[in-house]
Structures are given as structure tokens and as C-alpha cells.
Amino acid sequence: MKRHEAREKALQTLFQLDGTELTIEEAIEHVMGTEQDNFYSLLVQGTFQNMPAIDDKLKGHLENWSLERLPKVERTILRMAVFELSFMEDAPSNVVMNEAIELSKTFGDDKSSRFVNGVLSKFTDEL
């Protein structure tokens, strides 16, 4: 599976986990069935397990927004991107940003990609 597809599936899995009572195993099985992918698993498990730290980092980069008020798609995309940028050594920031923007164009609304770009730009400037 290509990394872009793994990111799409990870987004779908993490989206399901946000605000539902599904276990991480149930969400993974629902999206992946019996298919396995290491990068996908790392994204889902890593983002989910590090969510408090990721949310703390995100809160400092949201102007006039609270994390709770963000649309679920944008919040999930930002969490995944911040996980990659903060916890994965081999993730070039420009690739992570481009992927997050593309995901927001596919799954978000007309303004999603500009919003995601703005938040991640502030975040990567600090790195």
C-alpha cells in the first residue's frame, strides 16, 4: 500500500475513533478488514496513543479556535500530521504538509485546505 493510501485509511480510522465508543481494534478492522500495512498501523496507533501530547501542541497553534470547535475532519488531519512531524524521524515536513493539505481537499470542505496549511505552517516554522 502506498503511503498516501495508508494516510487516507488512517484518517478514516481515526475519524471513527473520535467521539465514538469503538475500540481501536474495531475501527482498524472496519477500515482494513484483514489487510495489514506497517505505515498505516504506525500512524493510527501512534496518533491515538499520543493524542494528549498532540492536542497540547495543536492548541498553541490555533488562532481564534479551540480544538473542540474544529470540524472533526480537520482536527483528525491535523492530529495525524502533528504526529508525523513530532514523532516520526523519517517524515520530511514538506511531504507531511502536502499530504495533509491533499487529505483536507479530498475529505474537507472548500476552506479546509487553507486552514490546515495555515496551522501546519505555524507548527513547522517552530520545528
Side-chain angles (χ1 to χ4, degrees), residues 57-73:
K57 290 179 184 220
L58 267 175
K59 286 175 186 174
H61 297 87
L62 297 173
E63 291 181 17
N64 303 321
W65 283 92
S66 67
L67 195 60
E68 297 76 27
R69 277 189 54 227
L70 283 181
K72 202 162 130 176
V73 169

Side-chain angles (χ1 to χ4, degrees), residues 5 9 13 23 31 33-34 36 42 44 50 52 56-57 65-66 71-73 80 83-84 86 97 112 114 123 127:
E5 185 182 352
K9 290 184 179 290
T13 304
T23 66
V31 171
T34 59
Q36 299 280 322
L42 179 62
V44 172
N50 292 290
D56 283 345
K57 290 179 184 220
W65 283 92
S66 67
K72 202 162 130 176
V73 169
M80 253 178 30
F83 168 73
E84 279 194 76
S86 301
M97 278 188 62
S112 296
R114 283 184 294 176
F123 188 83
L127 293 177

Side-chain angles (χ1 to χ4, degrees), residues 26-38:
E26 290 169 335
I28 289 171
E29 184 180 337
H30 181 63
V31 171
M32 294 292 283
T34 59
E35 191 176 359
Q36 299 280 322
D37 183 80
N38 289 337

Side-chain angles (χ1 to χ4, degrees), residues 94-119:
N94 61 332
V95 172
V96 173
M97 278 188 62
N98 287 338
E99 286 287 329
I101 291 165
E102 288 304 313
L103 288 172
S104 63
K105 286 178 182 176
T106 302
F107 295 99
D109 64 22
D110 296 343
K111 298 176 185 170
S112 296
S113 61
R114 283 184 294 176
F115 179 75
V116 167
N117 185 24
V119 173

